[in-house]
Amino acid sequence: GGADAASLGREARSKLELKCSFGGVSASLHVTSDLAWGALAAQLAALFKQPPGAPVLFTYRAPTDRRMVACASDTDLKRMMTDLGRDPPKGGAIKVAVVF
């Protein structure tokens, strides 16, 4: 049943809406669990009219213990998607504060 597991894995790719805010501007961005941090960082830079390659991070509230967590790398992003996949936010969206 290896093929079943593979197709299940593809379907289980979680999708999340990031409600981003930066400098008084709000914008929404959809991310999937297979998105690389570099690609997300580039989208955030474009969204908030920052120079390409600008260093960026964002903070969000962890679903389990409600503490603020920073996301600034592939590892952080995978952890966030895993945590939120286990404990999905209402409406499939979370608020994040973007920092350049």
Side-chain angles (χ1 to χ4, degrees):
D4 296 345
S7 62
L8 262 177
R10 274 199 301 277
E11 280 168 36
R13 187 179 81 164
S14 40
K15 189 172 180 194
L16 182 70
E17 182 185 352
L18 300 183
K19 291 182 183 284
C20 313
S21 60
F22 169 73
V25 180
S26 294
S28 278
L29 198 58
H30 287 90
V31 297
T32 51
S33 50
D34 54 2
L35 182 71
W37 172 254
L40 177 56
Q43 287 183 319
L44 287 168
L47 209 54
F48 293 109
K49 301 182 172 40
Q50 298 299 305
V56 60
L57 65 86
F58 63 78
T59 57
Y60 67 97
R61 206 171 281 287
T64 40
D65 53 12
R66 312 300 294 154
R67 69 196 161 87
M68 293 307 284
V69 184
C71 183
S73 69
D74 273 323
T75 311
D76 294 345
L77 188 57
K78 282 195 173 52
R79 187 173 58 227
M80 178 185 87
M81 295 305 282
T82 303
D83 289 351
L84 293 167
R86 275 199 298 263
D87 191 354
K90 283 189 184 68
I94 60 163
K95 287 194 170 95
V96 304
V98 181
V99 184
F100 285 98

